Amino acid sequence: MSKSKIEPSAEQIEPIIAAVNGKSIAINAGAGTGKSTTLKFITEYSKPNHRFIYIVFNKANAIEASLKMPSNVFVTTANSLAFRAVFDSNPSARKKYFKHSISVNRLASITGAYKEYTRLGEVGRMRFMISIQKTITEFCKTLDTEISMRHVPKDSDSQELDNILGYARVYWNLAKELKCDITHEVYMKIWSINKPSIPFDTILYDEAQDANALMVQEVNRQKANIIAVGDKHQQIYGFAGAVNALDKFNVTETHYLTQSYRYSQVIADVANLVLLNQKGVDINMKGSDFHESIVSNGIPMEYQNKTEMVIARTNGHILQLMIEANKNKLDYFAYVNAKEIKSLMLGMYALRYGDPDKVYHPDIKDFDDWSQFKIFLEEGGNPGLKTYYDLWGRFKLPHIMDAIKTAQDNENAMLPGSQTNLDYIFCTAHKSKGLEHDNITIGPDFKTPEDESYTDEETNLLYVALTRPRKILNIGNNEQLVELCT
């Protein structure tokens, strides 16, 4: 790690001084305003023996931060912090019981709930098991220490409430002793209930707006100083339990970074306008004088032969773009888990056509047949899996597999030194967080306040997408933006 060669800006100096003087602070940092650089300045201006833990959003962020931060900064994700605390003292349990997901049939086996299957019938037992699954998930999101009726879904069968609660408690009693299958959300809950110690002088919490209630509670319990950094308008993980937590950490001061170093004022103006129009907030983001950016209704002629990054709201639209590009023999990199999608699609195909022995994906392989799988999805089980089920029905499987093959062939195209000449980069707004590119097109599938299921988080998603470009922001494919900006 080399020391920063630049000097802090006027906006950055105030939070740096506050942090170095031992204050717990929040930093509300707009997109592209240098929040990571600010945190690095804080570590460099602190005493060399001051111990920092830097909690970042995902593994890629952790790898990047580890290369940039001084040696007195321990970098981790929240999941890794909890995972080590729960499993390091019991590696055999980790090997035997850690799972990325637990199917309803596997949950029935763990809890003994399969004994209810005969009396409930095919549809009834799926509803029953989904309710147990959702009860456990809801409990893990809360600060409660025991599962109670308040965690049971309100749409559960009223005649089965006591049974649903009872089997959920059976699972939890086994899980907290590391005696059955455990997922990410469960070991996080176990870690929190054990009131962990985080033995550092200062906790740096990046993307703090997307922290869940458990992490906020455990960070606030510590004796360490807290530096919580994020942007409340980039909170986009409410579905995963995020609570727009930037205002919930125990801090004494809040500082603001509003000067972007990524794009010029014309792009800042669009982002400001969207937040003002859709959320009624004026953040007054300032663009950089060092960039020349363009907001356009189409790609300018001089950029038409350069790689274009398309940011859409949904995986469905990304897959559609991949299929269309593939048909037109265009090269692309897609921020998708191609191996995962391939396994899901082939698994659904095998299950649909009566070949369950060729189903290898853990979310599908425990279903007895296609009928049971369809009922599970139709009754609200695993919305993420339902997304891919809908795609499977929407596009022809050979077209999907061809698109996935291209994505796999180009999976290293974004690495330094790659010689691949890409026509497109495809990315959802969620995956675009932390990315930037010269030439960006906004997809047409973002929701507007007029949509029935609209929430402020939908505007946050659009704001994230709008603040990724350095030079070209093409809004021509998005009707709401064209209308707003003309």
Side-chain angles (χ1 to χ4, degrees), residues 14 61 63 100 163 210 223 285 289 313 316 380 458:
E14 285 191 10
N61 297 147
I63 293 170
H100 288 284
N163 284 330
D210 280 319
K223 295 179 180 178
M285 278 286 292
D289 293 333
R313 177 181 173 273
E458 295 292 345

Side-chain angles (χ1 to χ4, degrees), residues 349-409:
Y349 184 86
L351 194 64
R352 172 67 180 84
Y353 293 103
D355 200 357
D357 290 340
K358 291 185 178 178
V359 179
Y360 304 111
H361 194 280
D363 288 346
I364 306 175
K365 67 184 179 111
D366 288 336
F367 287 99
D368 297 336
D369 51 38
W370 183 250
S371 174
Q372 188 185 68
F373 177 63
K374 278 186 68 178
I375 292 169
F376 169 73
L377 295 180
E378 288 165 0
E379 294 300 324
N382 197 334
L385 193 57
K386 177 69 161 55
T387 298
Y388 288 102
Y389 169 80
D390 291 341
L391 295 177
W392 187 85
R394 184 175 159 196
F395 301 108
K396 292 181 179 179
L397 185 62
H399 293 164
I400 295 174
M401 300 311 294
D402 286 346
I404 291 170
K405 183 179 185 304
T406 300
Q408 288 183 305
D409 289 344

